[in-house]
Amino acid sequence: MEAQLKESAQQVQDKLEEIGYSNKVVELPDSTRTAQEAADAIGCEVAHIAKSIIFRLKDSNRPLLVVASGVNRINEKLIGDYLNEELGKADADYVRKHTGFVIGGVPPLGHSEPVFTLVDEDLLNYREIWAAAGHPKAVFRLTPAELVEMTKGQVTCIK
C-alpha cells in the first residue's frame, strides 16, 4: 500500500495527472530542500536536479520562476538584461503568495497563479532530471522536454 502524499505534494501529483502526465510524485525520508540534499536523497548527480528559484521582478512586482540545473548559479544580471527588468529577491511570504508553495518545495508547475518561467538550457543535456514536488521531501522524475512542455518555459542561458 502506498503512503498518502502530503497535501502540497498531492496537489502537484493531481496537477500532473490533470495535464496528462504519468510522472509520479515520491516523498523521500530525507530533505530535498537544497539541490545537494535532493541529489543525496535520490542518488543522482546534483546537475540532474531541476531547482526552482522564484524571483520578484522589481518594476512589475510579478514572480519569475527560473528552473536551473542544481550545479548552476543563476546570473541575475544576465537574466535581468534578457527580460529588460531588474530581478529582486522573493521572500518566503512572496513565494507562498504567488506559487502556493513553501521555499524548498516549489515545483515547476501547479502554482496558484501563472508564473513566467525560464528553463536553464543546461538541463537539456540530461536524459532525466528531478524536480521539487510541493514539499521539502517530495520530488518527481521527468525529462527536460517534459519540463519545458509542463512549464511552457523559455529555454535560455541562466549563468
Side-chain angles (χ1 to χ4, degrees), residues 44-57:
C44 70
E45 294 179 36
V46 177
H48 294 203
I49 301 299
K51 61 183 178 183
S52 296
I53 309 294
I54 296 287
F55 292 94
R56 182 181 58 80
L57 296 174

Side-chain angles (χ1 to χ4, degrees), residues 8 28 30-34 37 102-106 133-139:
S8 56
L28 302 170
D30 297 316
S31 174
T32 59
R33 189 176 298 272
T34 68
E37 287 176 346
V102 298
I103 292 174
V106 175
H135 183 274
K137 291 185 177 184
V139 294

Side-chain angles (χ1 to χ4, degrees), residues 27-78:
E27 288 186 17
L28 302 170
D30 297 316
S31 174
T32 59
R33 189 176 298 272
T34 68
Q36 184 64 61
E37 287 176 346
D40 291 345
I42 294 164
C44 70
E45 294 179 36
V46 177
H48 294 203
I49 301 299
K51 61 183 178 183
S52 296
I53 309 294
I54 296 287
F55 292 94
R56 182 181 58 80
L57 296 174
K58 286 192 173 179
D59 293 337
S60 64
N61 198 38
R62 293 179 312 131
L64 167 70
L65 171 61
V66 177
V67 183
S69 171
V71 294
N72 288 345
R73 185 171 175 89
I74 297 168
N75 182 330
E76 295 176 34
K77 173 143 180 31
L78 177 72

Side-chain angles (χ1 to χ4, degrees), residues 46-138:
V46 177
H48 294 203
I49 301 299
K51 61 183 178 183
S52 296
I53 309 294
I54 296 287
F55 292 94
R56 182 181 58 80
L57 296 174
K58 286 192 173 179
D59 293 337
S60 64
N61 198 38
R62 293 179 312 131
L64 167 70
L65 171 61
V66 177
V67 183
S69 171
V71 294
N72 288 345
R73 185 171 175 89
I74 297 168
N75 182 330
E76 295 176 34
K77 173 143 180 31
L78 177 72
I79 292 173
D81 290 347
Y82 176 74
L83 297 174
N84 199 29
E85 188 165 357
E86 189 177 352
L87 274 59
K89 298 292 182 201
D91 66 18
D93 291 336
Y94 182 91
V95 171
R96 183 181 281 284
K97 175 183 176 190
H98 291 281
T99 69
F101 299 98
V102 298
I103 292 174
V106 175
L109 74 161
H111 306 126
S112 54
E113 64 181 62
V115 177
F116 182 73
T117 303
L118 296 177
V119 175
D120 180 357
E121 65 185 7
D122 286 355
L123 286 170
L124 277 58
N125 294 323
Y126 308 109
R127 189 174 67 233
E128 70 177 26
I129 55 179
W130 292 83
H135 183 274
K137 291 185 177 184

